[in-house]
Amino acid sequence: MDPSVPKNVLFDFFEGKATSLQRKLIEDWLAVPGNDLLFFEWLNEWESKHPQYVPNTEQALAHFKRLLEDQPAGTATASILRGAPKGRPRLPWKSWVQAASIVLVLGLTGFFFQRSIFYKCFQTGNASTRAVQLEDGTLVTLNSNSNLFVPRLGFGKSHRQVLLEGEAEFVVTHTDDHKRFIVKTDDDFEVEVLGTEFVMFARQRGKKVTLREGAVKVHYQDGKRLSLNPGEMIRLDAPNGKPQLLKVSDPKVQSAWKNHQFYFDDTPLPEVAEVIRDHFGVKVILADSNLRQRRLSGYFKAVTPQEIGQTISTLLNIEIEQTDRELIIHNQSSSKYE
């Protein structure tokens, strides 16, 4: 680890007092492998001395943008050139442009930078699950290849909020002060509850929420809202698509993946292929176009991609060619094995 960035500079950064040049220095320093360990060591030390500090970098950036938008065109540059105190050197206009560019770049990258700083990430890999107990008692079980981001400095006073990438089961604890629990995604989709049990799917191809107990409010598409009752599922396959509200006979099967079990109910084979990719990290290739019309039904267990490949091959009477990173599905008539 390289301690070339002084501890006091990092402490100023945690407190929101670091200059733009200091922030850039910290970003460059964090790019060096191993320095992140020292960074979080000092972050933990700083947190222990400032337990009530909750930074709001989004609010600060929004304020800065409003200042820029409220300034008439040319006013800022003119006032700087005309109003500079006598005897103080004036920077050439190119320097001002460069300085403004640095501030803009730091502002745009701040949202990505702050996630690694202010959130702790719980991850899972291929064919693995992970149970996470949050500070309020809420239990989150992550499916394979998923990320859960939890605030390092604890939940806020008005609500409890986490970020999800992937799929997870939530058993949310109801607090005495009725504090809301919110699960957000990277785009315009979030789930709001008080205390309940639900399964949430949030990947690039779509969103899905299945309610087991209690009640949830699903917010989507810039202000739209839908409430769920136990045994209901909302499914949104495209960012601007129409949500589907479905009845689920047994909500527990939506979290069957916790036991490496898979449930398919007349599921199109392309969707089955996506489930396999999400869970095992392998690419599934449908070698024949008419395979897209085939559907799969069944409830079975598979710990490896080879096991699920063999099961699908038996159920659909098709051939599957398997490698370490791919499952290639052929019809019997076109299989290379014939």
Side-chain angles (χ1 to χ4, degrees), residues 233-245:
M233 171 200 295
I234 180 176
R235 178 169 179 166
L236 194 64
D237 292 329
N240 298 317
K242 185 177 180 180
Q244 303 176 56
L245 185 60

Side-chain angles (χ1 to χ4, degrees), residues 13-14 17 21 25-26 37-38 69 83 123 125 137 145 150-151 168 170 194 226 229 301-302 310 318 320 327:
F13 174 76
F14 299 147
K17 297 179 180 179
L21 292 179
L25 175 64
I26 294 171
L37 299 177
L38 183 59
E69 292 170 356
Q123 298 177 303
N145 294 309
V150 180
F170 292 84
L194 291 176
L226 184 66
N229 295 314
K301 184 173 183 177
Q310 182 60 46
I318 56 180
I320 296 183
L327 293 180

Side-chain angles (χ1 to χ4, degrees), residues 273-288:
E274 291 172 340
V275 171
I276 296 173
R277 182 192 61 196
D278 291 340
H279 191 81
F280 295 106
V282 298
K283 183 177 182 180
V284 180
I285 301 174
L286 303 180
D288 304 293

Side-chain angles (χ1 to χ4, degrees), residues 215-289:
V216 303
K217 295 178 182 178
V218 179
H219 302 263
Y220 64 99
Q221 295 175 358
D222 193 23
K224 296 180 180 179
R225 186 177 68 180
L226 184 66
S227 297
L228 294 184
N229 295 314
E232 291 183 338
M233 171 200 295
I234 180 176
R235 178 169 179 166
L236 194 64
D237 292 329
N240 298 317
K242 185 177 180 180
Q244 303 176 56
L245 185 60
L246 308 171
K247 285 287 186 179
V248 180
S249 58
D250 186 2
K252 290 184 179 180
V253 301
Q254 300 300 320
S255 57
W257 43 262
K258 292 199 303 181
N259 300 312
H260 300 286
Q261 294 177 324
F262 297 85
Y263 175 77
F264 299 107
D265 183 13
D266 199 33
T267 306
L269 208 50
E271 187 174 332
V272 174
E274 291 172 340
V275 171
I276 296 173
R277 182 192 61 196
D278 291 340
H279 191 81
F280 295 106
V282 298
K283 183 177 182 180
V284 180
I285 301 174
L286 303 180
D288 304 293
S289 58

Side-chain angles (χ1 to χ4, degrees), residues 2-67:
D2 173 19
S4 58
V5 173
K7 183 189 294 188
N8 65 302
V9 172
L10 277 177
F11 278 23
D12 284 344
F13 174 76
F14 299 147
E15 201 165 342
K17 297 179 180 179
T19 66
S20 297
L21 292 179
Q22 286 174 329
R23 292 174 59 190
K24 177 60 177 174
L25 175 64
I26 294 171
E27 288 191 53
D28 292 341
W29 177 73
L30 276 174
V32 178
N35 284 346
D36 57 333
L37 299 177
L38 183 59
F39 176 89
F40 288 120
E41 178 184 331
W42 285 347
L43 175 60
N44 289 332
E45 179 182 338
W46 182 86
E47 286 176 355
S48 65
K49 299 178 180 178
H50 302 76
Q52 301 301 319
Y53 178 71
V54 181
N56 193 336
T57 53
E58 293 186 12
Q59 181 179 354
L61 180 58
H63 177 67
F64 175 72
K65 288 181 177 179
R66 285 197 299 270
L67 290 177

Side-chain angles (χ1 to χ4, degrees), residues 283-298:
K283 183 177 182 180
V284 180
I285 301 174
L286 303 180
D288 304 293
S289 58
N290 57 359
L291 285 170
R292 302 183 66 84
Q293 309 305 318
R294 302 290 301 273
R295 292 174 176 268
L296 179 66
S297 293

Side-chain angles (χ1 to χ4, degrees), residues 19-318:
T19 66
S20 297
L21 292 179
Q22 286 174 329
R23 292 174 59 190
K24 177 60 177 174
L25 175 64
I26 294 171
E27 288 191 53
D28 292 341
W29 177 73
L30 276 174
V32 178
N35 284 346
D36 57 333
L37 299 177
L38 183 59
F39 176 89
F40 288 120
E41 178 184 331
W42 285 347
L43 175 60
N44 289 332
E45 179 182 338
W46 182 86
E47 286 176 355
S48 65
K49 299 178 180 178
H50 302 76
Q52 301 301 319
Y53 178 71
V54 181
N56 193 336
T57 53
E58 293 186 12
Q59 181 179 354
L61 180 58
H63 177 67
F64 175 72
K65 288 181 177 179
R66 285 197 299 270
L67 290 177
L68 293 180
E69 292 170 356
D70 292 342
Q71 186 72 271
T75 302
T77 304
S79 61
I80 289 171
L81 294 178
R82 290 196 301 266
K86 293 183 179 180
R88 185 174 297 176
R90 299 176 178 177
L91 293 176
W93 70 272
K94 288 185 178 180
S95 298
W96 290 112
V97 172
Q98 291 171 353
S101 299
I102 291 174
V103 172
L104 179 60
V105 170
L106 288 174
L108 294 176
T109 58
F111 292 109
F112 302 98
F113 189 50
Q114 74 172 24
R115 173 173 289 188
S116 62
I117 296 173
F118 297 115
Y119 287 85
K120 182 176 182 179
C121 181
F122 298 92
Q123 298 177 303
T124 53
N126 295 330
S128 63
T129 62
R130 181 176 182 179
V132 179
Q133 181 104 37
L134 304 184
E135 64 178 53
D136 64 340
T138 294
L139 180 63
V140 184
T141 305
L142 292 172
N143 196 359
S144 303
N145 294 309
S146 299
N147 299 316
L148 178 71
F149 296 89
V150 180
R152 288 184 179 276
L153 305 182
F155 293 127
K157 294 182 179 180
S158 61
H159 62 273
R160 302 166 285 168
Q161 180 174 296
V162 297
L163 308 177
L164 175 67
E165 295 175 350
E167 187 171 14
E169 177 192 70
F170 292 84
V171 180
V172 179
T173 299
H174 190 168
T175 61
D176 293 336
D177 57 354
H178 310 293
K179 186 180 296 183
R180 296 174 301 149
F181 189 96
I182 299 173
V183 185
K184 294 182 67 70
T185 67
D186 277 337
D187 47 16
D188 188 17
F189 190 91
E190 67 178 54
V191 173
E192 176 187 342
V193 303
L194 291 176
T196 186
E197 296 183 18
F198 64 97
V199 178
M200 182 170 176
F201 176 94
R203 300 192 190 270
Q204 187 173 6
R205 68 176 185 272
K207 307 291 186 292
K208 189 167 57 176
V209 178
T210 305
L211 179 62
R212 288 215 303 254
E213 295 181 10
V216 303
K217 295 178 182 178
V218 179
H219 302 263
Y220 64 99
Q221 295 175 358
D222 193 23
K224 296 180 180 179
R225 186 177 68 180
L226 184 66
S227 297
L228 294 184
N229 295 314
E232 291 183 338
M233 171 200 295
I234 180 176
R235 178 169 179 166
L236 194 64
D237 292 329
N240 298 317
K242 185 177 180 180
Q244 303 176 56
L245 185 60
L246 308 171
K247 285 287 186 179
V248 180
S249 58
D250 186 2
K252 290 184 179 180
V253 301
Q254 300 300 320
S255 57
W257 43 262
K258 292 199 303 181
N259 300 312
H260 300 286
Q261 294 177 324
F262 297 85
Y263 175 77
F264 299 107
D265 183 13
D266 199 33
T267 306
L269 208 50
E271 187 174 332
V272 174
E274 291 172 340
V275 171
I276 296 173
R277 182 192 61 196
D278 291 340
H279 191 81
F280 295 106
V282 298
K283 183 177 182 180
V284 180
I285 301 174
L286 303 180
D288 304 293
S289 58
N290 57 359
L291 285 170
R292 302 183 66 84
Q293 309 305 318
R294 302 290 301 273
R295 292 174 176 268
L296 179 66
S297 293
Y299 191 41
F300 48 86
K301 184 173 183 177
V303 180
T304 66
Q306 289 74 25
E307 289 180 354
I308 197 170
Q310 182 60 46
T311 301
I312 294 173
S313 174
T314 302
L315 291 175
L316 297 182
N317 192 28
I318 56 180

